[in-house]
Amino acid sequence: MGFWLRFNLLVFTIAILSTPVLSDLILSKVDRRIDLTSQIVRITSTLKVENAGSGLVSEVLLAFQSFRLKIWYLMATTNEGKGKTKSAGVSLPVEIANPKGMPPALTVYSVSLSKALGEGDTMSLDVLAVFTHTLKPFPEKITQADIQLVLFQDSAYYLSPYAVKFQSLSIKLPDARIESYTKIENTKIHGSEIKYGPYENLHPFSYSPLVVHFEINQPFAVAQELVREIEVSHWGNVQVTEHYNIVHEGAKSEGEFSRLEYQARPHIRGSSAIRHFVAKLPPRAHSIIIGMKLGIYQHLICGLILKELLIEPRYPMFGGWRTAFIIGYSLPLQDFLFELEGKRFLNISFASPINDLVIDNLVVKVVLPEGSRDLSVSTPFPVKQRQESKISHLDVVGRPVIVLEKADVVPEHNQYFQIHYSFNKLSMLREPFMLISGFFFLFVACIVYVHVDLSISKSSASYLAKLQWDEVRATIQQVESIINQCLATHEKIEASLRDLSRIGDVQACKTTRKTADGLLKEHSKELKPLLAFLQSSPAAANILPKVEELVAKERELQERWMAKHSIIVDCYEKKLGGREIENRVAPQQQKVVALRQEVEDLLEYIDEI
């Protein structure tokens, strides 16, 4: 790594030494401050610009090292007044410029001045440059017990196409522990701050390599992709849903993770781990939800003015570890939707509410109500834009969706943007009208269904066949009922025989037999017209054989019962022994049991049909 660092610096130095001077501007004073307290590097430069030439100058060029630094956010403002009299600066347009003769090792931006500088005129500019992925972990892999060290490279001199009369540099670090730093003339260190300069009379493109190797245990949370969906409802709500896919891009963790050591000494055995994320939600946010992925859980800390959402992963996130979750919350419509000159416009923040989160790719989807038209977008910085549609509940043609996409997003991009559109107020009645109409037609359909006869025509063949089958089924049910009554009569005969064997009352047994004979004859008479109907009905052709077989088996069962009864009564009148009675009755008993089983099987079969 040291070889490539020296090689890159050598190539860069040769390139800038061959770069021509671009104008007669000079920087009479440069005060540069570099903030390295987080993964986001913020460089604030206060420039006092002087026109030493005779012509008017309407732009100021800013140069940066393109081989190492990638600018994610750049802003230039005018600096007027001092101390308490200092007024808010005016933001100036900044664009990439391509001056002739500029080496590829430099990226040059042009700041357009609101008023051209004449001969001898001066003005002050505040330039804020934000960089990410600039702090390189060194070593690149650490264990749970190691601290995280990073390298930062820059120039001790302000890199500019203009001559600099006087300049100073201060580097603010997160901690006083510094492994090493470049020492040149006029270098001082005060706690966690390194100061270089002042340096005077520097030529254009003066460059002095600067490397700082220091400890930083701040989280390097990077959202590789964040999708924010903002759904606007004119019924009083703005629903925001954010899908996060986050990775810790600090020094990668190697070795095993010990939960015991982490809980015992979290600031030593996990100093570089991400313990939680803090999202600052709008003050009136409500209905906060979190979609769980990979074991995420949450705590909510709500204040009266400021709402903070504290999200703690199940495990602390070390270098190279990932997590994913979803945040959802609702906002009152009146705080973000306004009306101007007959058009409505949504005014809402662009980026994530999570503190110090770097976003590689951000997609913002704004879902407007169905019927919105004449859409236009106003953003404070360039974004990619396209339009889609989304079908939701009670939609007919779909809701228009404005999709804004931007790579390389930092907290400074979390500014308000506006979406202007036209909307007819009568369109709000569409969904209530659809609901009312739907319920109305449903009730009408129910009323019609209840009062209209939807049965098949009584003269049709299928209807007549259905009637015939209903009559056949009712007749079969009567036959089954009579057969069950016959079986109950058989059980009475069996009960009288048990009483005979117990008390020996022959006369009572004969009386029961006489009563049973009368009942069975009545049942037989009742069966005759039923069987005659079934024999005459075409609908009963398939089931008639089983019914006739059932009646025949029941009659045979009657005969066997009567024979058994006669044998037992006769034996008791002759006063025969019990063994002799059993021997005489045994053949009849076997027939009775077999016939009873056949009758029950036939009844079950007919019931199934």
Side-chain angles (χ1 to χ4, degrees):
M1 183 173 180
F3 168 76
W4 287 110
L5 172 61
R6 290 191 295 271
F7 178 76
N8 287 332
L9 292 178
L10 176 62
V11 173
F12 180 71
T13 303
I14 295 173
I16 63 174
L17 288 177
S18 61
T19 304
V21 179
L22 298 178
S23 73
D24 293 328
L25 287 180
I26 61 173
L27 303 180
S28 56
K29 185 178 180 181
V30 175
D31 182 14
R32 192 157 54 114
R33 301 170 297 280
I34 302 178
D35 186 352
L36 302 180
T37 56
S38 69
Q39 65 164 330
I40 303 173
V41 177
R42 295 178 173 90
I43 302 179
T44 305
S45 303
T46 301
L47 313 177
K48 187 175 182 181
V49 184
E50 179 181 349
N51 185 4
S54 57
L56 295 176
V57 178
S58 60
E59 65 175 5
V60 177
L61 300 180
L62 306 175
F64 297 92
Q65 307 172 42
S66 57
F67 80 97
R68 185 179 55 81
L69 297 178
K70 180 182 179 182
I71 297 180
W72 284 40
Y73 182 81
L74 181 62
M75 182 179 68
T77 57
T78 58
N79 185 346
E80 300 177 358
K82 294 182 179 180
K84 295 182 179 180
T85 62
K86 185 176 180 179
S87 60
V90 178
S91 181
L92 302 176
V94 180
E95 297 179 351
I96 294 181
N98 295 307
K100 293 182 179 180
M102 195 64 60
L106 292 178
T107 300
V108 179
Y109 292 84
S110 171
V111 179
S112 300
L113 303 180
S114 56
K115 182 180 179 181
L117 289 179
E119 182 179 357
D121 291 342
T122 63
M123 71 172 302
S124 294
L125 291 178
D126 283 335
V127 179
L128 172 63
V130 180
F131 307 89
T132 63
H133 304 299
T134 301
L135 301 180
K136 302 300 181 183
F138 189 72
E140 296 180 353
K141 295 182 179 180
I142 58 175
T143 64
Q144 180 181 349
D146 295 335
I147 61 174
Q148 181 174 253
L149 299 174
V150 297
L151 283 175
F152 173 73
Q153 306 170 38
D154 202 351
S155 171
Y157 299 153
Y158 180 67
L159 186 60
S160 172
Y162 312 116
V164 180
K165 289 185 178 180
F166 182 91
Q167 79 135 42
S168 61
L169 168 65
S170 64
I171 301 177
K172 185 178 180 181
L173 305 176
D175 193 87
R177 178 170 180 176
I178 305 173
E179 292 290 308
S180 63
Y181 63 96
T182 302
K183 297 179 182 179
I184 58 176
E185 183 183 1
N186 294 340
T187 302
K188 300 177 184 178
I189 184 169
H190 298 282
S192 60
E193 186 174 6
I194 304 174
K195 292 187 176 181
Y196 290 90
Y199 303 110
E200 299 179 358
N201 300 322
L202 299 176
H203 297 288
F205 298 105
S206 295
Y207 182 81
S208 177
L210 169 66
V211 180
V212 182
H213 189 203
F214 61 98
E215 175 185 354
I216 179 171
N217 291 313
Q218 301 299 321
F220 278 52
V222 177
Q224 294 182 328
E225 184 179 41
L226 168 59
V227 179
R228 299 186 74 218
E229 184 175 282
I230 304 170
E231 186 167 351
V232 179
S233 171
H234 284 170
W235 296 101
N237 185 63
V238 177
Q239 178 65 38
V240 181
T241 307
E242 301 172 346
H243 301 258
Y244 290 88
N245 186 6
I246 297 179
V247 62
H248 188 329
E249 289 199 349
K252 288 183 170 50
S253 176
E254 62 179 0
E256 296 182 352
F257 166 67
S258 172
R259 166 69 73 174
L260 181 61
E261 293 183 0
Y262 175 77
Q263 290 183 337
R265 293 182 293 177
H267 295 288
I268 298 177
R269 298 292 182 175
S271 57
S272 62
I274 299 177
R275 297 173 178 82
H276 58 259
F277 304 98
V278 178
K280 293 184 178 180
L281 303 182
R284 298 178 65 185
H286 61 91
S287 303
I288 302 170
I289 60 171
I290 293 187
M292 310 301 172
K293 290 185 179 180
L294 304 179
I296 298 291
Y297 62 94
Q298 80 285 353
H299 299 292
L300 302 182
I301 303 176
C302 301
L304 294 177
I305 300 177
L306 179 65
K307 287 197 174 182
E308 288 190 350
L309 181 64
L310 182 64
I311 307 169
E312 295 183 359
R314 183 178 177 184
Y315 295 99
M317 288 180 60
F318 289 87
W321 292 16
R322 300 172 179 273
T323 188
F325 55 90
I326 301 173
I327 299 177
Y329 52 93
S330 296
L331 302 172
L333 182 67
Q334 62 269 26
D335 291 354
F336 300 93
L337 187 66
F338 307 94
E339 193 166 351
L340 179 65
E341 297 178 355
K343 296 190 69 174
R344 306 186 184 203
F345 70 93
L346 178 72
N347 186 47
I348 199 166
S349 58
F350 182 77
S352 168
I354 294 182
N355 296 344
D356 291 331
L357 180 67
V358 173
I359 306 170
D360 286 342
N361 187 48
L362 172 62
V363 179
V364 179
K365 298 183 178 181
V366 182
V367 184
L368 299 175
E370 188 178 26
S372 301
R373 63 185 188 280
D374 302 331
L375 311 181
S376 62
V377 181
S378 176
T379 58
F381 37 77
V383 296
K384 295 180 181 179
Q385 178 182 341
R386 67 179 187 274
Q387 188 169 337
E388 300 175 351
S389 63
K390 177 183 179 181
I391 299 293
S392 185
H393 52 276
L394 298 179
D395 287 341
V396 178
V397 298
R399 306 184 183 189
V401 180
I402 299 293
V403 181
L404 306 177
E405 188 171 355
K406 180 172 177 56
D408 307 334
V409 177
V410 290
E412 280 74 9
H413 287 113
N414 198 17
Q415 304 176 30
Y416 284 89
F417 70 100
Q418 296 77 37
I419 293 184
H420 300 259
Y421 63 97
S422 299
F423 186 82
N424 190 343
K425 293 182 179 180
L426 294 178
S427 298
M428 293 184 63
L429 301 177
R430 180 187 303 169
E431 292 182 358
F433 178 75
M434 292 175 62
L435 288 174
I436 294 172
S437 301
F439 282 109
F440 173 77
F441 287 118
L442 175 63
F443 294 148
V444 170
C446 292
I447 293 172
V448 172
Y449 178 78
V450 171
H451 290 84
V452 175
D453 185 7
L454 301 178
S455 60
I456 303 174
S457 174
K458 296 181 180 180
S459 60
S460 64
S462 58
Y463 181 74
L464 295 175
K466 181 178 181 299
L467 290 180
Q468 291 177 3
W469 173 247
D470 290 342
E471 292 177 355
V472 169
R473 190 167 60 179
T475 303
I476 292 174
Q477 290 176 352
Q478 294 178 17
V479 171
E480 289 179 333
S481 177
I482 294 173
I483 296 298
N484 286 327
Q485 293 176 18
C486 293
L487 295 178
T489 303
H490 300 167
E491 291 176 358
K492 291 180 181 179
I493 295 174
E494 185 178 8
S496 68
L497 293 176
R498 287 197 298 268
D499 293 340
L500 176 62
S501 64
R502 183 168 51 84
I503 61 179
D505 190 353
V506 175
Q507 189 62 36
C509 187
K510 288 182 176 182
T511 302
T512 302
R513 162 73 180 272
K514 186 176 181 179
T515 304
D517 286 341
L519 291 173
L520 291 174
K521 288 179 181 180
E522 292 181 3
H523 295 330
S524 179
K525 292 179 181 180
E526 293 175 356
L527 283 174
K528 288 181 179 180
L530 299 178
L531 290 175
F533 171 77
L534 293 176
Q535 291 170 355
S536 63
S537 175
N542 294 330
I543 199 171
L544 180 61
K546 291 295 181 182
V547 175
E548 292 178 339
E549 183 181 358
L550 173 64
V551 174
K553 292 292 183 183
E554 195 281 328
R555 286 176 180 172
E556 185 178 358
L557 180 61
Q558 288 183 26
E559 295 174 358
R560 295 297 178 182
W561 268 113
M562 296 309 172
K564 177 181 176 181
H565 185 275
S566 299
I567 293 172
I568 293 176
V569 171
D570 184 61
C571 290
Y572 270 94
E573 287 180 342
K574 294 179 179 181
K575 298 182 181 180
L576 299 178
R579 184 173 295 278
E580 180 67 21
I581 295 174
E582 290 180 1
N583 291 335
R584 292 188 178 188
V585 173
Q588 300 297 332
Q589 180 64 26
Q590 293 177 358
K591 290 289 185 179
V592 167
V593 172
L595 289 170
R596 180 63 183 260
Q597 184 62 43
E598 291 180 9
V599 170
E600 290 179 352
D601 291 343
L602 287 169
L603 284 172
E604 183 177 356
Y605 176 79
I606 293 173
D607 281 340
E608 292 178 356
I609 295 178

